[in-house]
Amino acid sequence: MKTAKLILDGKEYEFPVVAGSENEVGIEIGALRSKTGVITLDPGYLSTGSCKSAITFIDGDKGVLRYRGYPIEQIAESSATFSEIAYLLIYGHLPSTNEYDDWRRRLTLDSFIHEDMLKFFEGFPTNAHPMAILSSMMSSLSAYHLDSFEGGDMDHNIVQVLAKAKTIAAFSYKKSVGGPFIYPLTTLSYPANFLRMMFATPAEEYVVSPVLERALNLLLILHADHEQNCSTSTVRMVGSSHANLFASISAGISALWGPLHGGANQAVIDMLDRIVANGGDCKSFVAQVKDKKSSIRLMGFGHRVYKNYDPRARILKKVVDEVLTEIGVTDPRLDVAKQLEEIALSDDYFIKRRLYPNVDFYSGTLYHAMGIPPQMFTVMFALGRMPGWIAHWKEWHDDPNSRIHRPRQIYIGEEERTFVPMDKR
Ligand code: SDX
């Protein structure tokens, strides 16, 4: 076995070196503290792996993304549905026809939320952010479905999360516009059901645009998993305490909300709107981004892992043109986005830092073309990421060697001192 040597205070220590199926190499340092009394320190986990995983592979330098070994480009080009890819990520293989038919039937039949849960919406203010609603309603599902650690059925709970998330999301939009909730139809696909629940009214038949159904199907697939990103690591962390699936997914929703992570798609549209409003002056905006005194970032650009073009952004950039043309929409934001990309990709500031468009750079323009409001964009990311979060929670749950996540720290606070009673302070 290959090993790595560490020399500390003149003493030499050896640690095993592991290699993954794509030859990623890691030094197993679990015994470091017991052998040496010291720990590693890696804020932000720039060089720290938290687990071995067989779900998704990313090569950031080459811009490679594969779900269970299948390249994202092949999946995007195929006729695969989001629920089919969700099955692949969660159970590890592409479903047979029978497996798929049963999976789809369960996902549509279980799309309804308990009628008592409708009352929860009455408590939210009309302007409540839909991510707040989604995370709290997701956690509340644990009150209706027995946890698999308490004897409940994990596969049943997995279906509840996937099937009900889109219903809660659509209902949170209807709540924000004061519209009546539209119930799912078991005859529609996941994306078509969602679009209908978002935009239909009881007053007339709503026909889902096949172009938008296909575009949403692709958007959901492209967001479905991304190895140990911030929100997925959160789901694993929370699940490692044997918290139930609903509570773990709810924590992932909260982590995704941040503008540095899933909240970036809403931040991108706000950024594009600001540039359009000031006459489309991309050059001066990029100058502000490069000015270290400004805290302005080019949202939708940069990535901890991709130091090349995010393959998802490349796919979306192609599709967004096709969709807008097919539905006869022009969007000044898209022109601005393309100008920003062109300027940034030839500017040394971005080249030196290897900053490229990421999945969030173009997704908002597509969501907007579907009529989805910016406040719902991060919810759309969460709907896409549900299968990935579930797959990682299950992978941790199924591994007999999994342990609760409990990182160490380097203490830099006060040294020991004597407590001072109130009357002596
Ligand atoms: C997602 O992890 C995942 O896989 C996430 C995700 C997924 O599918 O789950 O891919 C989804 O979250 C995509 C990222 C969405 N976020 C954004 O678009 C927000 C803008 N991007 C950045 O804030 C940033 O690039 C991050 C958060 C994405 C990555 O942060 P890092 O790896 O900690 O990089 P960093 O902040 O240390 O930046 C390195 C340098 C810095 O400059 P210097 O200090 O070296 O001079 O690059 C600069 C940063 O200032 N930089 C940017 C920038 N991103 C990084 N400068 C301007 N604009 C940016 N967008």
Side-chain angles (χ1 to χ4, degrees):
M1 162 191 303
K2 263 176 82 174
T3 61
K5 288 191 174 62
L6 169 75
I7 296 172
L8 182 65
D9 298 336
K11 263 187 88 182
E12 187 174 286
Y13 303 88
E14 272 197 287
F15 297 94
V17 170
V18 294
S21 45
E22 290 290 340
N23 303 316
E24 288 169 300
V25 175
I27 303 169
E28 283 216 76
I29 54 159
L32 175 69
R33 190 169 184 278
S34 57
K35 278 186 176 176
T36 67
V38 306
I39 62 166
T40 59
L41 184 60
D42 183 11
Y45 307 114
L46 286 152
S47 304
T48 297
S50 62
C51 62
K52 294 176 184 172
S53 177
I55 299 170
T56 290
F57 172 68
I58 300 174
D59 180 323
D61 292 325
K62 298 192 188 111
V64 170
L65 169 59
R66 297 190 203 124
Y67 291 163
R68 297 284 187 180
Y70 297 104
I72 194 66
E73 293 81 5
Q74 287 183 26
I75 295 174
E77 292 290 326
S78 78
S79 58
T81 65
F82 172 60
S83 40
E84 187 181 344
I85 299 305
Y87 187 100
L88 166 69
L89 286 166
I90 295 167
Y91 295 104
H93 65 274
L94 288 167
S96 65
T97 310
N98 290 341
E99 286 169 329
Y100 180 59
D101 291 345
D102 173 58
W103 173 246
R104 270 211 68 222
R105 188 181 54 77
R106 286 188 289 148
L107 283 181
T108 40
L109 288 177
D110 284 3
S111 287
F112 296 82
I113 58 174
H114 194 292
E115 289 288 295
D116 287 352
M117 290 189 83
L118 299 182
K119 300 185 184 78
F120 293 23
F121 286 95
E122 292 161 24
F124 290 109
T126 310
N127 64 347
H129 197 292
M131 284 295 272
I133 298 176
L134 184 61
S135 61
S136 47
M137 298 288 276
M138 181 56 67
S139 190
S140 303
L141 283 175
S142 58
Y144 296 83
H145 302 279
L146 186 62
D147 170 25
S148 53
F149 288 116
E150 307 289 328
D153 178 279
M154 186 201 299
D155 292 322
H156 165 82
N157 289 344
I158 285 171
V159 168
Q160 304 317 306
V161 170
L162 274 177
K164 292 172 164 58
K166 71 176 176 303
T167 304
I168 294 166
F171 285 8
S172 64
Y173 169 69
K174 284 294 192 188
K175 158 85 188 177
S176 72
V177 295
F181 294 153
I182 298 295
Y183 280 49
L185 292 180
T186 54
T187 50
L188 294 180
S189 70
Y190 186 106
N193 238 331
F194 178 76
L195 289 172
R196 182 179 167 279
M197 287 196 281
M198 283 281 289
F199 302 118
T201 69
E204 57 188 6
E205 242 340 273
Y206 179 84
V207 179
V208 178
S209 148
V211 173
L212 296 186
E213 179 183 1
R214 266 199 321 277
L216 182 53
N217 183 66
L218 176 64
L219 275 161
L220 292 167
I221 287 175
L222 292 179
H223 286 82
D225 191 49
H226 217 239
E227 57 141 272
Q228 303 308 316
N229 59 84
C230 176
S231 53
T232 300
S233 299
T234 301
V235 170
R236 278 185 172 258
M237 168 75 86
V238 171
S240 77
S241 73
H242 281 196
N244 64 69
L245 176 64
F246 304 106
S248 306
I249 299 293
S250 175
I253 294 167
S254 301
L256 186 75
W257 197 351
L260 293 187
H261 189 14
N265 54 21
Q266 183 174 346
V268 167
I269 275 293
D270 295 343
M271 172 186 76
L272 297 176
D273 279 340
R274 282 198 307 277
I275 297 169
V276 169
N278 78 7
D281 183 357
C282 294
K283 285 197 179 348
S284 70
F285 181 79
V286 171
Q288 290 175 57
V289 168
K290 289 162 62 179
D291 174 2
K292 277 297 170 193
K293 288 190 292 299
S294 94
S295 59
I296 294 174
R297 288 205 158 191
L298 182 52
M299 300 310 276
F301 253 69
H303 200 279
R304 172 63 60 77
V305 175
Y306 287 126
K307 299 310 173 191
N308 197 325
Y309 213 106
D310 181 334
R312 303 167 296 177
R314 196 189 302 281
I315 292 166
L316 283 177
K317 182 180 176 183
K318 194 161 73 66
V319 166
V320 70
D321 270 325
E322 291 163 8
V323 169
L324 293 192
T325 307
E326 284 197 56
I327 61 175
V329 162
T330 53
D331 186 342
R333 297 180 184 87
L334 182 58
D335 301 335
V336 165
K338 287 180 176 175
Q339 281 176 55
L340 285 172
E341 178 184 341
E342 198 179 325
I343 296 168
L345 294 189
S346 55
D347 185 298
D348 190 49
Y349 172 93
F350 298 88
I351 295 167
K352 199 170 68 167
R353 293 168 177 81
R354 302 174 74 189
L355 304 175
Y356 291 86
N358 59 49
V359 67
D360 295 303
F361 194 61
Y362 287 107
S363 57
T365 312
L366 268 174
Y367 292 136
H368 176 78
M370 294 172 189
I372 295 169
Q375 240 204 358
M376 284 286 292
F377 287 5
T378 311
V379 168
M380 300 310 294
F381 193 142
L383 292 185
R385 188 50 55 87
M386 290 289 160
W389 287 334
I390 293 167
H392 284 274
W393 187 90
K394 184 176 185 301
E395 185 175 65
W396 184 94
H397 187 288
D398 289 347
D399 175 357
N401 302 315
S402 290
R403 304 176 72 171
I404 189 167
H405 290 195
R406 204 286 185 206
R408 309 301 295 246
Q409 65 166 24
I410 296 293
Y411 177 70
I412 55 169
E414 296 285 346
E415 294 179 30
E416 185 175 354
R417 51 183 174 167
T418 307
F419 187 78
V420 178
M422 183 69 84
D423 58 1
K424 297 270 187 307
R425 288 177 207 163

